[in-house]
Amino acid sequence: MEHKKRVDIVKLEMVKEASLKYMKRVVTNPLEVGELIRDFIGNPDREVFGILCLDTKGQPTHLSKVAIGDLNCAIVHPREVFKIAILSNAASVILFHNHPSGVEFPSEEDKRITNRLKESGDILGITILDHIIMGDANCFSFRSKQLL
């Protein structure tokens, strides 16, 4: 008697954990995004990488932590970053992460992963509008510095 192999039938669902109020319907500059992100992640002692999903009107729809790392890095892979964007039908996204050191300037690795994620987003048809790095008092915008 021959045994047949099974394949699981599955479905994916996004589960709302909570919601966060913010002042404007559309975020238009890095400072507004920074405020929203700071409210979301607080002031963690390790690096947190996340994604803010936006609809076609530029309105935030979903906010998610993608990776939590250690003191100075978080492992980030395009597959994990864009999973949330795809499930939320995002037209565009804003990437973000904090630097527990308090210094908001990007490392060479920050620049490399931003470029890799931009290339992945281009393939998927999901635009990366910006990558915000949160420091103690300020934030760094890749878009504002023409790095994206």
Side-chain angles (χ1 to χ4, degrees):
M1 183 157 122
E2 187 177 328
H3 293 284
K4 293 184 178 180
K5 183 150 175 76
R6 285 186 181 268
V7 62
D8 295 332
I9 298 171
V10 300
K11 71 176 180 176
L12 292 175
E13 291 181 307
M14 284 189 15
V15 177
K16 178 179 157 184
E17 292 180 355
S19 61
L20 185 65
K21 290 184 179 180
Y22 62 100
M23 295 303 292
K24 295 187 175 184
R25 200 172 248 325
V26 177
V27 288
T28 58
N29 66 60
L31 292 176
E32 292 173 355
V33 175
E35 288 174 21
L36 183 58
I37 293 165
R38 198 170 302 281
D39 287 346
F40 178 57
I41 65 171
N43 192 21
D45 63 349
R46 61 200 68 185
E47 199 163 292
V48 176
F49 190 98
I51 183 171
L52 174 64
C53 299
L54 298 104
D55 64 15
T56 56
K57 296 176 185 173
Q59 301 175 112
T61 58
H62 297 89
L63 192 56
S64 182
K65 294 175 186 172
V66 174
I68 298 175
D70 58 22
L71 186 60
N72 62 356
C73 73
I75 307 294
V76 178
H77 192 279
R79 172 184 57 240
E80 305 308 318
V81 171
F82 286 101
K83 186 184 300 182
I84 296 294
I86 291 167
L87 289 174
S88 67
N89 292 319
S92 58
V93 297
I94 296 174
L95 310 172
F96 64 85
H97 77 279
N98 67 311
H99 279 174
S101 68
V103 179
E104 72 272 8
F105 299 106
S107 66
E108 288 305 311
E109 182 58 26
D110 290 337
K111 293 174 185 176
R112 274 193 293 277
I113 192 62
T114 301
N115 288 331
R116 184 172 182 206
L117 292 170
K118 182 189 179 313
E119 291 169 359
S120 300
D122 290 345
I123 291 168
L124 293 169
I126 300 173
T127 304
I128 294 181
L129 297 178
D130 206 343
H131 182 171
I132 304 290
I133 300 175
M134 305 298 297
D136 280 345
N138 298 309
C139 64
F140 180 92
S141 162
F142 276 71
R143 173 77 57 203
S144 294
K145 303 295 182 188
Q146 286 83 37
L147 294 175
L148 189 63

